[in-house]
Amino acid sequence: MDAKTRYTKLVEDVKNEIAKDRAKFDRIKERNQHQEKYKELWEKVNIDEVVEKFAPNSEPVINDNGKIIFRTPGSNIQVVCEATIGSLRIQDLDITL
């Protein structure tokens, strides 16, 4: 199964979970409103290509914030997808701010 298919399935899981938890829904809605400001700057990408390059052979998981994470075991690079807004970013866990 490709990354996009796995992502799409997990998006439905996230949306169902959010529908059951009003506090989580409110937090995610607020986060999405903040991100929407920058949406015109986003570049369209192929999630399959991004995951294959940065997190090959990974199994996505949903974190407590409703984000879908693709990470290859033993790697410090992960692809973080915002399930409710349709964005992703590549994160290097070795970099701290």
Side-chain angles (χ1 to χ4, degrees):
M1 185 179 337
D2 64 6
K4 184 171 179 163
T5 303
R6 291 180 290 168
Y7 167 78
T8 301
K9 183 196 173 313
L10 289 178
V11 166
E12 289 304 314
D13 293 347
V14 168
K15 288 181 178 180
N16 290 335
E17 182 182 327
I18 291 168
K20 297 176 194 172
D21 185 339
R22 182 65 186 185
K24 184 179 277 191
F25 173 83
D26 290 342
R27 282 193 316 272
I28 290 172
K29 184 177 177 184
E30 183 177 324
R31 183 177 73 214
N32 288 353
Q33 287 173 341
H34 174 74
Q35 291 179 348
E36 281 286 338
K37 294 182 218 175
Y38 305 102
K39 195 169 187 171
E40 70 278 353
L41 302 174
W42 298 349
E43 181 180 332
K44 289 194 183 279
V45 297
N46 181 313
I47 190 171
D48 291 323
E49 292 174 4
V50 172
V51 170
E52 182 60 32
K53 183 173 183 175
F54 294 99
N57 304 314
S58 60
E59 284 298 322
V61 296
I62 302 171
N63 74 5
D64 292 338
N65 294 319
K67 296 177 184 180
I68 298 171
I69 312 290
F70 290 86
R71 183 171 175 218
T72 303
S75 173
N76 289 328
I77 303 295
Q78 62 185 15
V79 178
V80 180
C81 303
E82 296 284 349
T84 57
I85 200 165
S87 68
L88 68 79
R89 62 186 160 88
I90 300 156
Q91 182 179 25
D92 183 339
L93 300 173
D94 288 333
I95 298 174
T96 58
L97 300 175

